[in-house]
Amino acid sequence: MKKTLVALAVLAAGSAQAAEIYNADGSTLELTGRAYAVVETTKQKSTGTDTDVHAYDSRLGFKLRHQVTEGVAAVGKFEFQLTEDDDHGLKNRDVYAGLDFTDAVTVTFGRQTTSFDDLAFRGGFDEYYGFSQQLEDRGRENGIIKATSANINGFVGSASYQFLEGDVTGLTLAGSYDADFGLGLSAGYFDYKQSGNKDHATGYNVGASYAFGDAKVGVDYSSEEVFNKDKADAYRLGGEYNIDAYRLYAGYGNVDNKPAAGGKTSDDGFYAGVAYAFGAKTTIFAEVASYDKEGAEDQDFLGLGLNVNF
């Protein structure tokens, strides 16, 4: 029997705007974060129905900027997130510092996302569950140096390097282009090396989107090969339509897993939802999704949540 996930989520979400709390002598300090909670009911054959409250995507942070010269600013960010652990403690999410060369390039050092995660994707439109295509997240790790260009006529390019974390180092490259007439294109590549292993983990994603009127559609295609030679290919597509304060959205995705030992499996799923914006920082949404994963048990989900940004 197919694995089915049905999710209905009501969530308040908003633009990730920061609140300026200090501005003097060329230095600014902004408070960022969000308070986030979801009441989620999970149903599956082996365990029955279970309801719990999750707040682990709540986060709090600070962004710093000091204008050193007219064309150079020192920047930094400290952001912490509530964990899923039993003690629900805080963990480092982003902790980095760097230099912003105005209208040229920003270079940052520390714990942060990769260039691949920042720019390579176009096909996700969900608010909560969505479709996890497994290939998107290259991780948020310590020891990353990243250089990202300024927006030049719609084009942004970026490169990041992961210094030794555990036993892995790696490079990611990505770029995106957004045309005035609504077309968006993205591409990304990664290459990771593991100590003591001559094989590399490599992969890429290409994405495209098109906005027309109050609607937008997008698609991604990804492929990767990991250190043990397992391979996977994935695609996802989705779209949204805005009516005043409402946003209607839906998407579908598929992953083909190709283990080196043989035995190919396929996972797929879809989601659909409606979101309502109360204001610049608060949105309510309801989302349903269904997933089919080979070798996994059927699951149903129901989520009600609140996300307050500041």
Side-chain angles (χ1 to χ4, degrees), residues 61-138:
F62 299 92
K63 294 175 65 176
L64 305 92
R65 183 180 182 90
H66 176 70
Q67 202 67 41
V68 181
T69 68
E70 183 177 346
V72 180
V75 297
K77 184 178 181 181
F78 302 86
E79 187 173 68
F80 304 91
Q81 180 173 328
L82 198 65
T83 69
E84 299 181 56
D85 301 335
D86 291 339
D87 59 359
H88 296 294
L90 292 174
K91 66 177 180 181
N92 295 340
R93 178 176 167 84
D94 288 313
V95 183
Y96 62 80
L99 294 173
D100 180 4
F101 299 90
T102 307
D103 298 326
V105 64
T106 300
V107 182
T108 51
F109 310 80
R111 180 177 177 82
Q112 56 189 316
T113 57
T114 67
S115 300
F116 188 83
D117 290 314
D118 291 343
L119 297 176
F121 295 88
R122 295 277 176 171
F125 293 87
D126 58 283
E127 292 278 358
Y128 185 50
Y129 292 112
F131 179 79
S132 174
Q133 60 169 310
Q134 300 179 357
L135 309 184
E136 180 169 349
D137 189 8
R138 297 269 52 86

Side-chain angles (χ1 to χ4, degrees), residues 24-289:
D25 302 322
S27 297
T28 59
L29 176 64
E30 296 179 334
L31 180 68
T32 67
R34 67 182 187 182
Y36 180 95
V38 174
V39 180
E40 183 175 56
T41 299
T42 304
K43 181 180 179 181
Q44 61 185 46
K45 184 177 180 180
S46 63
T47 60
T49 301
D50 179 63
T51 300
D52 201 355
V53 177
H54 305 294
Y56 48 74
D57 207 23
S58 297
R59 58 189 75 152
L60 179 67
F62 299 92
K63 294 175 65 176
L64 305 92
R65 183 180 182 90
H66 176 70
Q67 202 67 41
V68 181
T69 68
E70 183 177 346
V72 180
V75 297
K77 184 178 181 181
F78 302 86
E79 187 173 68
F80 304 91
Q81 180 173 328
L82 198 65
T83 69
E84 299 181 56
D85 301 335
D86 291 339
D87 59 359
H88 296 294
L90 292 174
K91 66 177 180 181
N92 295 340
R93 178 176 167 84
D94 288 313
V95 183
Y96 62 80
L99 294 173
D100 180 4
F101 299 90
T102 307
D103 298 326
V105 64
T106 300
V107 182
T108 51
F109 310 80
R111 180 177 177 82
Q112 56 189 316
T113 57
T114 67
S115 300
F116 188 83
D117 290 314
D118 291 343
L119 297 176
F121 295 88
R122 295 277 176 171
F125 293 87
D126 58 283
E127 292 278 358
Y128 185 50
Y129 292 112
F131 179 79
S132 174
Q133 60 169 310
Q134 300 179 357
L135 309 184
E136 180 169 349
D137 189 8
R138 297 269 52 86
R140 197 181 235 101
E141 295 289 353
N142 302 315
I144 291 179
I145 179 173
K146 180 167 61 177
T148 303
S149 75
N151 190 314
I152 304 172
N153 297 321
F155 174 79
V156 177
S158 185
S160 64
Y161 182 78
Q162 168 72 62
F163 289 92
L164 190 64
E165 182 71 15
D167 60 352
V168 174
T169 59
L171 169 73
T172 80
L173 303 170
S176 68
Y177 173 72
D178 289 281
D180 293 337
F181 58 87
L183 177 66
L185 301 172
S186 291
Y189 172 80
F190 66 86
D191 186 337
Y192 284 78
K193 188 178 187 317
Q194 188 176 45
S195 300
N197 188 344
K198 67 178 181 178
D199 296 321
H200 288 220
T202 61
Y204 66 87
N205 185 85
V206 290
S209 62
Y210 185 66
F212 49 100
D214 295 321
K216 186 177 182 179
V217 294
V219 62
D220 289 312
Y221 178 80
S222 301
S223 182
E224 73 172 9
E225 180 178 309
V226 296
F227 294 119
N228 65 2
K229 310 304 287 183
D230 288 351
K231 299 179 181 180
D233 299 319
Y235 67 88
R236 66 174 178 178
L237 52 90
E240 64 181 13
Y241 182 73
N242 294 280
I243 308 173
D244 297 324
Y246 291 92
R247 185 173 77 93
L248 309 176
Y249 59 91
Y252 172 81
N254 182 88
V255 177
D256 289 330
N257 301 294
K258 305 171 183 177
K264 175 182 173 181
T265 62
S266 293
D267 306 333
D268 69 345
F270 72 87
Y271 63 88
V274 57
Y276 177 77
F278 276 116
K281 299 181 179 181
T282 304
T283 303
I284 300 177
F285 73 81
E287 187 171 314
V288 296

